[in-house]
Amino acid sequence: MKLLLSALGAAMLVAQAGGALAQEVKEIRLGSPWPTSSTIHEALPVFAEEVEKLSEGRIKVRVYPDSQLGDIQALINGVQLGTVDMTYLAIGNAGVLRGGAPLNVAYTPYLFNTKEDAERIANSEVFQPLYDDLAEQSGVRIFAVHGARSPRAVQNTQRPVKTPADLEGLKIRIPPIDGIRVAFETMGARPVVLGLGDTYNAIERGQVDGHENGIDAAVGYKWYEVAKYFTPTDHIFETAAFYVNESLWQSFSEEDREIFRKAAATGGAAMTKAGEAVDKEGYEIFAENGVEVTEPDKEAFREALKDVYKQFEGTVWPDGLVAKIRAMQE
């Protein structure tokens, strides 16, 4: 009987130990607005796989794509409230949060020389105080910025665009970012804020003459069907960012935070690679659909937009920040 009781006791201890181990697995809910067919989504399964691998199974990331947990605004609200643990959005989406406006510096025309510079600097000590302020004021932290979109361009229905003067009077769809609005007003265009999903019909109906975005969006939304002049101005290099609930982030050990950072870099690299493939394919699609690609006079665009940032310096973001960022690329 004693042997039986001992065996039973040992079995119970093993079961309890197994249950404790099972309870130690942490599941992270990551909501995404991006469809699984998008290049941006490419980052997320890789990120999840890396987190599980680096944590040796202690942490699992469950990805909910296709706006399953809500659109961009709902996801930002969810991360703030803690009903969503993480999300993966453009760095500029933080602008709707308290303390997030300074991150709009990333949309200063010709701030970054390359997408590699944009990603490197966004993860540097220059940007870290901005992420800390965002976390303190809103309860949402950006813990890593990895994954480059296509460089921004201009596409329209009216004429080839080689210099800023060619944009005079054109109605151009833009996102709701003040720096981009001011840039296009400076060049004589008439910027119009529209949702991405509304842009195709707006171009087709003549409500706008074109859009400001990357070739990835132009291909994904098939704007090449309705706008036949494309100019790769490369005026903005946009990166994607991993957002997390601040209270959750503070609950992680530094070891686990480093796991998330490393996994974010690997996931972002997958997105960048997928985007580069789409960029190459995009020009082939343009050729097949009669889109004329015009090589711009980039120096003329740089000159026209060189002072746009000044009206935001010291008010929207800290004074001298643009100079610091440019100095890191000299």
Side-chain angles (χ1 to χ4, degrees):
M1 179 62 73
K2 289 182 179 180
L3 288 173
L4 178 60
L5 290 174
S6 296
L8 288 171
M12 290 176 65
L13 287 173
V14 169
Q16 290 171 356
L21 288 173
Q23 291 173 1
E24 289 176 7
V25 175
K26 177 70 175 177
E27 183 171 292
I28 302 297
R29 285 162 49 89
L30 190 156
S32 164
W34 315 116
T36 55
S37 59
S38 69
T39 58
I40 300 176
H41 175 77
E42 293 288 331
L44 300 181
V46 175
F47 171 72
E49 182 180 341
E50 282 294 300
V51 168
E52 184 169 356
K53 181 178 76 174
L54 294 173
S55 70
E56 297 181 338
R58 289 187 298 105
I59 308 172
K60 295 183 184 292
V61 176
R62 185 180 295 277
V63 178
Y64 296 86
D66 295 301
S67 296
Q68 290 180 42
L69 302 184
D71 60 13
I72 290 175
Q73 187 59 55
L75 289 169
I76 288 176
N77 293 342
V79 173
Q80 190 170 31
L81 294 170
T83 55
V84 179
D85 297 320
M86 292 182 180
T87 189
Y88 186 55
L89 305 171
I91 193 171
N93 289 128
V96 301
L97 290 164
R98 185 183 298 275
L103 289 169
N104 281 309
V105 70
Y107 295 88
T108 297
Y110 297 106
L111 178 66
F112 302 113
N113 296 333
T114 66
K115 62 185 176 185
E116 290 80 11
D117 284 333
E119 188 168 303
R120 171 177 60 86
I121 294 169
N123 289 292
S124 73
E125 293 182 358
V126 169
F127 268 73
Q128 194 55 54
L130 305 183
Y131 303 145
D132 290 340
D133 287 345
L134 174 67
E136 182 178 350
Q137 294 187 49
S138 72
V140 176
R141 175 175 292 277
I142 290 177
F143 68 88
V145 181
H146 295 288
R149 283 198 56 206
S150 303
R152 302 294 265 236
V154 181
Q155 189 170 16
N156 81 98
T157 62
Q158 300 300 308
R159 54 182 175 263
V161 171
K162 184 175 178 61
T163 69
D166 295 324
L167 288 168
E168 182 74 35
L170 294 183
K171 294 175 288 185
I172 301 295
R173 179 270 169 193
I174 65 165
I177 297 173
D178 284 342
I180 296 177
R181 174 184 57 78
V182 172
F184 277 80
E185 288 176 345
T186 298
M187 294 186 291
R190 297 163 58 190
V192 178
V193 175
L194 278 177
L196 286 170
D198 298 324
T199 301
Y200 185 105
N201 287 339
I203 295 174
E204 187 176 41
R205 295 168 182 168
Q207 295 167 329
V208 296
D209 297 309
H211 71 88
E212 179 276 345
N213 217 302
I215 194 170
D216 51 357
V219 170
Y221 287 96
K222 297 185 177 182
W223 294 330
Y224 55 82
E225 294 180 347
V226 289
K228 300 301 183 180
Y229 300 102
F230 185 86
T231 305
T233 48
D234 296 352
H235 55 282
I236 292 170
F237 290 97
E238 185 178 43
T239 45
F242 287 85
Y243 294 66
V244 64
N245 175 270
E246 173 66 359
S247 295
L248 177 63
W249 185 252
Q250 293 303 325
S251 73
F252 294 141
S253 66
E254 184 54 38
E255 176 188 2
D256 286 348
R257 291 178 191 173
E258 189 60 24
I259 284 172
F260 284 115
R261 294 189 191 104
K262 288 180 178 178
T266 304
M271 173 197 156
T272 299
K273 183 178 180 180
E276 289 171 348
V278 168
D279 288 351
K280 181 179 179 180
E281 180 187 6
Y283 283 106
E284 296 171 357
I285 292 173
F286 283 176
E288 293 168 359
N289 286 271
V291 174
E292 179 180 334
V293 177
T294 302
E295 188 63 32
D297 181 347
K298 289 184 183 177
E299 287 308 309
F301 278 92
R302 287 179 184 274
E303 180 65 23
L305 300 174
K306 66 180 182 180
D307 293 331
V308 164
Y309 77 95
K310 290 183 178 179
Q311 63 183 279
F312 304 105
E313 187 94 335
T315 54
V316 176
W317 55 74
D319 190 39
L321 181 58
V322 167
K324 287 181 181 178
I325 292 170
R326 287 179 171 159
M328 294 177 72
Q329 302 169 84
E330 294 176 350

